[in-house]
Amino acid sequence: MKLYNTLSRKKDTFKGKKRVNLFTCGPTVYWFAHIGNFRTYFFEDILKRVLLYNGYTVKHVMNITDVGHLTSDADTGEDKLEKGAKRENKTVWEVADFYTKHFRNDLKSLNIKEPTVWVKATDTIKEQIDLIKILEKKGFTYQIEDGVYFDTSKLKNYGVLWGNKKPIELKAGARVEAILGKKNITDFALWKLTAPGVKRQMEWDSPWGKGFPGWHTECVAMSIKNLGIPFDIHCGGIDHIPIHHTNEIAQAQGAYGKMMANYWMHGEFLNIEGSKISKSIGNVVTVDNLIEKGFNPISLRYLFLTAHYRSKLDFTWVSLKASQNGLQSLGEKILRLLEGQTTKISAKSKSLPVYQKKFLDFINDDLNMPKALALMWQAINDPTLPNKEKYSLILDMDKIFGLNLDKIRKIKIPKEIISLDKERENARQEKNWPEADRLRGELQKLGYLIEDTTNGPKLKKL
Ligand code: AMP
Ligand code: ZN
């Protein structure tokens, strides 16, 4: 298996033990996750499915950020959870609970497998304080009025994820809201102190004073607690490269002298109708919005499959409609397969192992879903593949795609419906149109539609 590793900036052969330890940065539960966020969770789901397909077992840990994620990456601004609580006039805990549940429902709608372990930032405060204590002991921290900070100048190789490109937002002279007393522009908060006069719902005692942890500290404590160090793969969206993951690496390096994870993988962003997804633009789309507009959320999975996870993807309603159509026609082809309407070659086909090998090559080549999906279409339209083999090949491929193709069933039509349909057909033969129409209406009332197809009229369940 080859996976693109942001750390080495190339496709590396994956060398993991039988059990793979995977950490994926999870949602900040102050609002609904949008379809951009889900593009990243989808890519991670594909990664997990490909690992499983290759015979690995996966211990997947995902965090729930329920404190400490500020509205600005420069350690300023409000805590998103406290902001959410004010907006909804609820407690922070209620807000976190509501959006966590909603997030898990959305995962289900998109057929994204749940992690093995969920871990909340607020359940790991002790481990976070312990981590900061180690960093303090090793001389990587300093305290200012605002909180405890990591001194990035003390670390020899800070910023290994960047390659030779320093992120624009961290270049000297970049416009940032500076925090008084911060020594270097790249220094980041480990523990923020509750500001005098501010009433926070979430705060904890610490050796440095009452406050709350920094977002980057949370993920280090949560991942290492559950997966040890180093663990195999750490994932997130590309926006995590310049700051969040860079600062996670810095802390693990400082505290334990080790690289935190062996492979770092990042998914490209989803735009909507050509624009960055943003509340201020007002173009945020959620899974609920798709359902409200009559879309099957799985068609979003199909759309995501059409682009490589390291390429930008632009979501449009037109492209979603095309994906829904693609999914539908896939379903119809499978139905026809089940009904045995296509070729009935009984001998074992020679092309089956070729498809299987190609499929494995594509998915193991840094999760090349567009090629794998095109191969599925090629297989489904291949007249030399016998039905049974074709069907099991498609279901096998769907272990990766997750399009729920195994749920497509030949419908069992009750006897009385079949006899009503026969009566209607007789009426039609006798050119008794009023009677044929009456029976068609009767069938419709019972939930069956008669569709005119090239092979004559066909019963379909509504
Ligand atoms: P957040 O809740 O903001 O921490 O984001 C959750 C995940 O979604 C992170 O892994 C982000 O990198 C990712 N993400 C945010 N916006 C997008 C987007 N437009 N496209 C793809 N992934 C995104
Ligand atoms: Zn994280």
Side-chain angles (χ1 to χ4, degrees), residues 23 25-26 63 215 219 234 240 244-245 248:
F23 185 82
C25 285
N63 67 294
W215 175 39
C219 283
H234 193 315
H240 285 172
H244 183 50
H245 287 174
E248 285 189 33

Side-chain angles (χ1 to χ4, degrees), residues 205-223:
D205 286 325
S206 83
W208 313 281
K210 214 172 234 161
F212 58 98
W215 175 39
H216 320 308
T217 305
E218 297 174 1
C219 283
V220 181
M222 288 188 276
S223 57

Side-chain angles (χ1 to χ4, degrees), residues 25-28 30 34-41 44 69 80 215 235-240 267-271 277:
C25 285
T28 307
Y30 71 113
H34 57 61
I35 58 170
N37 302 133
F38 283 112
R39 182 177 186 209
T40 293
Y41 301 121
E44 294 159 350
H69 196 170
K80 292 185 181 187
W215 175 39
C235 297
I238 42 151
D239 60 323
H240 285 172
E268 246 298 351
F269 261 35
L270 180 80
N271 282 343
I277 305 176

Side-chain angles (χ1 to χ4, degrees), residues 35 38-39 41-50 106-114 287 290 295-307 313 315 319-320 323-324 327 369-370 373 397-405:
I35 58 170
F38 283 112
R39 182 177 186 209
Y41 301 121
F42 164 80
F43 131 66
E44 294 159 350
D45 183 53
I46 293 290
L47 168 66
K48 191 157 120 185
R49 286 169 181 265
V50 170
D106 285 349
L107 289 183
K108 205 179 271 168
S109 302
L110 293 168
N111 201 19
I112 292 176
K113 289 180 193 288
E114 288 234 2
V287 173
L290 306 184
F295 284 98
N296 172 357
I298 298 298
S299 45
L300 185 68
R301 260 193 101 93
Y302 188 100
L303 176 63
F304 288 163
L305 286 169
T306 62
L313 176 64
F315 169 93
S319 64
L320 186 66
S323 297
Q324 175 129 310
L327 187 63
M369 292 304 120
L373 186 65
M397 290 174 164
D398 201 42
K399 284 183 189 152
I400 303 294
F401 300 140
L403 297 173
N404 286 335
L405 300 180

